[in-house]
Amino acid sequence: DVKVTQSSRYLVKRTGEKVFLECVQDMDHENMFWYRQDPGLGLRLIYFSYDVKMKEKGDIPEGYSVSREKKERFSLILESASTNQTSMYLCASSRPLTGAPGTDTQYFGPGTRLTVL
Amino acid sequence: GEDVEQSLFLSVREGDSSVINCTYTDSSSTYLYWYKQEPGAGLQLLTYIFSNMDMKQDQRLTVLLNKKDKHLSLRIADTQTGDSAIYFCAESTGGFKTIFGAGTRLFVKA
């Protein structure tokens, strides 16, 4: 079974702090993703990475950066946390469903609920 | 642009069937997915359907795809209280991205 773990389930930080959210997957997946989940808005993609050291902006990258130094680990960084970044953050990784592009199935971690005061 | 829409809430009685509906806009989608999220947990893949299929059945779950109307549904037979969760519809449109709906909260009354 695929296992995706996130470093914290709950996190409370102050405005202006630098925040690191860590995600690790154990199935040698090429692709990794960071989403935020807010009520009524569903999942919104922040960044994704398709290889070590490679990253692409998602739909809402502002205020965030990412790091992928090793294949199994994908970090989300809030350089200066703000109250509007209070949210549930979900990490996912994927392998191709059949090997054809565009058929990846994403496997999710348990989420990190971040509160910025 | 790409969009996936689903209603936000559904309430059923235990033992009844639940039907969760979803519409999507991108006709080039390859796979369509249903994920389940239980309270305090991440998303768990429930089932998926390839875009050239009309129906897929897996135990109590039936997925129907109407590609002409870009409509996807998930039917849960004999719904149980343990089925209470948020159900996300998603589509894979090519490349690496998957587009998710806002999620339908299913509430099962005992």
Side-chain angles (χ1 to χ4, degrees):
Chain A
D1 273 355
V2 176
K3 193 165 183 185
V4 181
T5 56
Q6 296 182 225
S7 50
S8 306
R9 294 298 303 274
Y10 300 93
L11 211 52
V12 179
K13 295 291 181 182
R14 295 202 177 276
T15 302
E17 279 193 78
K18 190 168 186 175
V19 182
F20 292 87
L21 303 182
E22 304 284 338
C23 175
V24 178
Q25 50 94 4
D26 65 359
M27 285 300 290
D28 203 34
H29 286 179
E30 287 82 12
N31 306 324
M32 296 188 75
F33 306 81
W34 275 107
Y35 294 89
R36 64 177 283 177
Q37 182 185 15
D38 300 289
L41 296 177
L43 273 67
R44 291 181 292 168
L45 181 65
I46 304 171
Y47 267 97
F48 68 98
S49 168
Y50 53 90
D51 202 350
V52 175
K53 296 192 187 296
M54 306 304 288
K55 60 186 179 185
E56 290 286 337
K57 292 180 180 179
D59 300 316
I60 50 163
E62 296 78 19
Y64 303 94
S65 62
V66 290
S67 171
R68 183 114 181 254
E69 296 297 318
K70 292 185 178 181
K71 192 175 187 180
E72 67 270 19
R73 188 180 297 269
F74 192 35
S75 303
L76 180 69
I77 303 151
L78 287 66
E79 293 289 340
S80 177
S82 62
T83 53
N84 63 12
Q85 292 178 309
T86 292
S87 187
M88 169 74 93
Y89 289 87
L90 292 166
C91 173
S93 71
S94 74
R95 58 162 175 82
L97 209 64
T98 63
T103 59
D104 293 4
T105 296
Q106 296 190 14
Y107 297 87
F108 285 81
T112 296
R113 187 167 291 283
L114 172 67
T115 302
V116 183
L117 302 174
Chain B
E2 306 145 339
D3 196 16
V4 176
E5 293 191 357
Q6 49 185 131
S7 56
L8 294 183
F9 185 79
L10 175 66
S11 176
V12 299
R13 292 193 183 280
E14 192 174 23
D16 286 352
S17 291
S18 310
V19 179
I20 303 171
N21 293 302
C22 168
T23 57
Y24 59 97
T25 56
D26 195 323
S27 55
S28 64
S29 54
T30 330
Y31 280 91
L32 295 125
Y33 305 90
W34 285 104
Y35 284 84
K36 177 183 181 181
Q37 184 183 34
E38 294 180 345
L43 274 68
Q44 171 196 357
L45 179 66
L46 264 186
T47 187
Y48 62 90
I49 188 167
F50 190 45
S51 58
N52 69 354
M53 296 168 65
D54 298 324
M55 185 182 92
K56 181 178 180 182
Q57 187 146 7
D58 184 2
Q59 299 182 335
R60 291 191 297 124
L61 305 179
T62 303
V63 178
L64 294 177
L65 174 60
N66 181 327
K67 201 171 179 184
K68 175 176 166 288
D69 294 339
K70 300 192 187 74
H71 183 266
L72 182 74
S73 67
L74 174 69
R75 180 176 180 268
I76 306 172
D78 187 25
T79 313
Q80 302 298 307
T81 54
D83 294 323
S84 291
I86 302 175
Y87 291 82
F88 289 89
C89 171
E91 63 169 344
S92 173
T93 59
F96 302 96
K97 288 173 64 173
T98 299
I99 309 298
F100 289 83
T104 299
R105 184 178 295 275
L106 174 64
F107 178 68
V108 182
K109 294 178 278 191

mmCIF file of all heavy atoms in Angstrom, chain B residues 38-59:
data_model
loop_
_atom_site.group_PDB
_atom_site.id
_atom_site.type_symbol
_atom_site.label_atom_id
_atom_site.label_comp_id
_atom_site.label_asym_id
_atom_site.label_seq_id
_atom_site.Cartn_x
_atom_site.Cartn_y
_atom_site.Cartn_z
ATOM 1 N N GLU B 38 -12.906 10.988 5.191
ATOM 2 C CA GLU B 38 -13.543 10.876 6.502
ATOM 3 C C GLU B 38 -13.027 11.994 7.396
ATOM 4 O O GLU B 38 -11.964 12.561 7.126
ATOM 5 C CB GLU B 38 -13.276 9.493 7.078
ATOM 6 C CG GLU B 38 -13.959 8.408 6.245
ATOM 7 C CD GLU B 38 -13.736 7.018 6.778
ATOM 8 O OE1 GLU B 38 -12.839 6.831 7.609
ATOM 9 O OE2 GLU B 38 -14.475 6.110 6.364
ATOM 10 N N PRO B 39 -13.758 12.313 8.470
ATOM 11 C CA PRO B 39 -13.355 13.448 9.328
ATOM 12 C C PRO B 39 -11.922 13.334 9.807
ATOM 13 O O PRO B 39 -11.494 12.303 10.320
ATOM 14 C CB PRO B 39 -14.352 13.353 10.490
ATOM 15 C CG PRO B 39 -15.545 12.670 9.912
ATOM 16 C CD PRO B 39 -15.017 11.698 8.906
ATOM 17 N N GLY B 40 -11.178 14.412 9.642
ATOM 18 C CA GLY B 40 -9.807 14.474 10.130
ATOM 19 C C GLY B 40 -8.800 13.686 9.339
ATOM 20 O O GLY B 40 -7.636 13.561 9.757
ATOM 21 N N ALA B 41 -9.196 13.167 8.195
ATOM 22 C CA ALA B 41 -8.302 12.322 7.405
ATOM 23 C C ALA B 41 -8.067 12.917 6.026
ATOM 24 O O ALA B 41 -8.761 13.846 5.605
ATOM 25 C CB ALA B 41 -8.889 10.919 7.280
ATOM 26 N N GLY B 42 -7.105 12.363 5.316
ATOM 27 C CA GLY B 42 -6.863 12.758 3.933
ATOM 28 C C GLY B 42 -7.864 12.104 3.000
ATOM 29 O O GLY B 42 -8.820 11.462 3.431
ATOM 30 N N LEU B 43 -7.659 12.267 1.712
ATOM 31 C CA LEU B 43 -8.567 11.693 0.727
ATOM 32 C C LEU B 43 -8.153 10.256 0.403
ATOM 33 O O LEU B 43 -6.974 9.968 0.224
ATOM 34 C CB LEU B 43 -8.557 12.523 -0.562
ATOM 35 C CG LEU B 43 -9.494 13.714 -0.613
ATOM 36 C CD1 LEU B 43 -9.068 14.790 0.363
ATOM 37 C CD2 LEU B 43 -9.567 14.255 -2.030
ATOM 38 N N GLN B 44 -9.147 9.400 0.304
ATOM 39 C CA GLN B 44 -8.897 8.005 -0.015
ATOM 40 C C GLN B 44 -9.554 7.696 -1.355
ATOM 41 O O GLN B 44 -10.744 7.970 -1.540
ATOM 42 C CB GLN B 44 -9.505 7.137 1.091
ATOM 43 C CG GLN B 44 -9.523 5.654 0.803
ATOM 44 C CD GLN B 44 -10.475 4.920 1.737
ATOM 45 O OE1 GLN B 44 -11.087 5.515 2.630
ATOM 46 N NE2 GLN B 44 -10.610 3.633 1.536
ATOM 47 N N LEU B 45 -8.789 7.130 -2.302
ATOM 48 C CA LEU B 45 -9.362 6.790 -3.589
ATOM 49 C C LEU B 45 -10.396 5.680 -3.422
ATOM 50 O O LEU B 45 -10.096 4.612 -2.899
ATOM 51 C CB LEU B 45 -8.264 6.330 -4.543
ATOM 52 C CG LEU B 45 -8.735 5.917 -5.934
ATOM 53 C CD1 LEU B 45 -9.288 7.120 -6.687
ATOM 54 C CD2 LEU B 45 -7.589 5.284 -6.719
ATOM 55 N N LEU B 46 -11.625 5.955 -3.872
ATOM 56 C CA LEU B 46 -12.694 4.958 -3.797
ATOM 57 C C LEU B 46 -12.742 4.121 -5.053
ATOM 58 O O LEU B 46 -12.749 2.897 -5.010
ATOM 59 C CB LEU B 46 -14.051 5.654 -3.664
ATOM 60 C CG LEU B 46 -14.656 5.844 -2.297
ATOM 61 C CD1 LEU B 46 -16.059 6.419 -2.450
ATOM 62 C CD2 LEU B 46 -14.698 4.542 -1.524
ATOM 63 N N THR B 47 -12.820 4.792 -6.181
ATOM 64 C CA THR B 47 -12.939 4.112 -7.453
ATOM 65 C C THR B 47 -12.617 5.098 -8.563
ATOM 66 O O THR B 47 -12.573 6.308 -8.345
ATOM 67 C CB THR B 47 -14.354 3.508 -7.627
ATOM 68 O OG1 THR B 47 -14.377 2.706 -8.811
ATOM 69 C CG2 THR B 47 -15.416 4.582 -7.727
ATOM 70 N N TYR B 48 -12.403 4.569 -9.770
ATOM 71 C CA TYR B 48 -12.163 5.427 -10.912
ATOM 72 C C TYR B 48 -12.772 4.764 -12.138
ATOM 73 O O TYR B 48 -13.067 3.568 -12.149
ATOM 74 C CB TYR B 48 -10.669 5.667 -11.123
ATOM 75 C CG TYR B 48 -9.892 4.404 -11.418
ATOM 76 C CD1 TYR B 48 -9.717 3.969 -12.733
ATOM 77 C CD2 TYR B 48 -9.331 3.657 -10.390
ATOM 78 C CE1 TYR B 48 -9.020 2.806 -13.003
ATOM 79 C CE2 TYR B 48 -8.636 2.497 -10.650
ATOM 80 C CZ TYR B 48 -8.473 2.077 -11.960
ATOM 81 O OH TYR B 48 -7.782 0.921 -12.222
ATOM 82 N N ILE B 49 -12.980 5.559 -13.175
ATOM 83 C CA ILE B 49 -13.540 5.030 -14.409
ATOM 84 C C ILE B 49 -12.796 5.652 -15.575
ATOM 85 O O ILE B 49 -12.477 6.842 -15.559
ATOM 86 C CB ILE B 49 -15.068 5.292 -14.490
ATOM 87 C CG1 ILE B 49 -15.692 4.583 -15.683
ATOM 88 C CG2 ILE B 49 -15.382 6.782 -14.520
ATOM 89 C CD1 ILE B 49 -17.220 4.544 -15.626
ATOM 90 N N PHE B 50 -12.473 4.855 -16.546
ATOM 91 C CA PHE B 50 -11.812 5.331 -17.743
ATOM 92 C C PHE B 50 -12.865 5.985 -18.631
ATOM 93 O O PHE B 50 -14.018 5.555 -18.666
ATOM 94 C CB PHE B 50 -11.134 4.152 -18.439
ATOM 95 C CG PHE B 50 -10.229 4.530 -19.562
ATOM 96 C CD1 PHE B 50 -9.326 5.571 -19.440
ATOM 97 C CD2 PHE B 50 -10.267 3.838 -20.763
ATOM 98 C CE1 PHE B 50 -8.486 5.918 -20.478
ATOM 99 C CE2 PHE B 50 -9.429 4.172 -21.814
ATOM 100 C CZ PHE B 50 -8.546 5.208 -21.680
ATOM 101 N N SER B 51 -12.473 6.977 -19.381
ATOM 102 C CA SER B 51 -13.450 7.798 -20.092
ATOM 103 C C SER B 51 -14.170 7.066 -21.224
ATOM 104 O O SER B 51 -15.175 7.565 -21.729
ATOM 105 C CB SER B 51 -12.791 9.066 -20.629
ATOM 106 O OG SER B 51 -11.729 8.720 -21.489
ATOM 107 N N ASN B 52 -13.691 5.894 -21.618
ATOM 108 C CA ASN B 52 -14.404 5.166 -22.671
ATOM 109 C C ASN B 52 -15.377 4.125 -22.100
ATOM 110 O O ASN B 52 -15.924 3.311 -22.830
ATOM 111 C CB ASN B 52 -13.432 4.502 -23.654
ATOM 112 C CG ASN B 52 -12.666 3.369 -23.016
ATOM 113 O OD1 ASN B 52 -12.771 3.130 -21.814
ATOM 114 N ND2 ASN B 52 -11.888 2.656 -23.809
ATOM 115 N N MET B 53 -15.585 4.159 -20.770
ATOM 116 C CA MET B 53 -16.537 3.258 -20.123
ATOM 117 C C MET B 53 -17.798 4.031 -19.763
ATOM 118 O O MET B 53 -17.763 5.236 -19.553
ATOM 119 C CB MET B 53 -15.918 2.684 -18.844
ATOM 120 C CG MET B 53 -14.699 1.814 -19.089
ATOM 121 S SD MET B 53 -13.811 1.443 -17.569
ATOM 122 C CE MET B 53 -15.011 0.478 -16.677
ATOM 123 N N ASP B 54 -18.932 3.314 -19.697
ATOM 124 C CA ASP B 54 -20.189 3.925 -19.285
ATOM 125 C C ASP B 54 -20.498 3.638 -17.820
ATOM 126 O O ASP B 54 -21.167 4.424 -17.164
ATOM 127 C CB ASP B 54 -21.353 3.366 -20.102
ATOM 128 C CG ASP B 54 -21.206 3.680 -21.565
ATOM 129 O OD1 ASP B 54 -20.707 4.774 -21.872
ATOM 130 O OD2 ASP B 54 -21.591 2.834 -22.387
ATOM 131 N N MET B 55 -20.045 2.497 -17.347
ATOM 132 C CA MET B 55 -20.428 2.068 -16.011
ATOM 133 C C MET B 55 -19.318 1.205 -15.415
ATOM 134 O O MET B 55 -18.624 0.483 -16.125
ATOM 135 C CB MET B 55 -21.726 1.260 -16.059
ATOM 136 C CG MET B 55 -22.258 0.885 -14.693
ATOM 137 S SD MET B 55 -23.754 -0.099 -14.760
ATOM 138 C CE MET B 55 -23.072 -1.736 -14.725
ATOM 139 N N LYS B 56 -19.190 1.330 -14.103
ATOM 140 C CA LYS B 56 -18.270 0.448 -13.386
ATOM 141 C C LYS B 56 -18.916 0.103 -12.057
ATOM 142 O O LYS B 56 -19.418 0.990 -11.365
ATOM 143 C CB LYS B 56 -16.931 1.142 -13.163
ATOM 144 C CG LYS B 56 -15.909 0.280 -12.449
ATOM 145 C CD LYS B 56 -14.595 1.013 -12.297
ATOM 146 C CE LYS B 56 -13.588 0.126 -11.572
ATOM 147 N NZ LYS B 56 -12.304 0.825 -11.359
ATOM 148 N N GLN B 57 -18.908 -1.181 -11.703
ATOM 149 C CA GLN B 57 -19.512 -1.605 -10.433
ATOM 150 C C GLN B 57 -18.449 -2.262 -9.569
ATOM 151 O O GLN B 57 -17.633 -3.051 -10.053
ATOM 152 C CB GLN B 57 -20.648 -2.586 -10.694
ATOM 153 C CG GLN B 57 -21.421 -2.936 -9.440
ATOM 154 C CD GLN B 57 -22.894 -3.168 -9.717
ATOM 155 O OE1 GLN B 57 -23.332 -3.196 -10.855
ATOM 156 N NE2 GLN B 57 -23.662 -3.333 -8.655
ATOM 157 N N ASP B 58 -18.471 -1.907 -8.294
ATOM 158 C CA ASP B 58 -17.516 -2.462 -7.351
ATOM 159 C C ASP B 58 -18.227 -2.626 -6.020
ATOM 160 O O ASP B 58 -18.370 -1.682 -5.256
ATOM 161 C CB ASP B 58 -16.307 -1.523 -7.218
ATOM 162 C CG ASP B 58 -15.223 -2.088 -6.319
ATOM 163 O OD1 ASP B 58 -15.381 -3.227 -5.826
ATOM 164 O OD2 ASP B 58 -14.209 -1.390 -6.113
ATOM 165 N N GLN B 59 -18.741 -3.818 -5.766
ATOM 166 C CA GLN B 59 -19.489 -4.137 -4.547
ATOM 167 C C GLN B 59 -20.679 -3.180 -4.401
ATOM 168 O O GLN B 59 -21.565 -3.179 -5.259
ATOM 169 C CB GLN B 59 -18.562 -4.125 -3.336
ATOM 170 C CG GLN B 59 -17.457 -5.166 -3.464
ATOM 171 C CD GLN B 59 -16.535 -5.212 -2.260
ATOM 172 O OE1 GLN B 59 -16.375 -4.245 -1.524
ATOM 173 N NE2 GLN B 59 -15.920 -6.349 -2.045
#
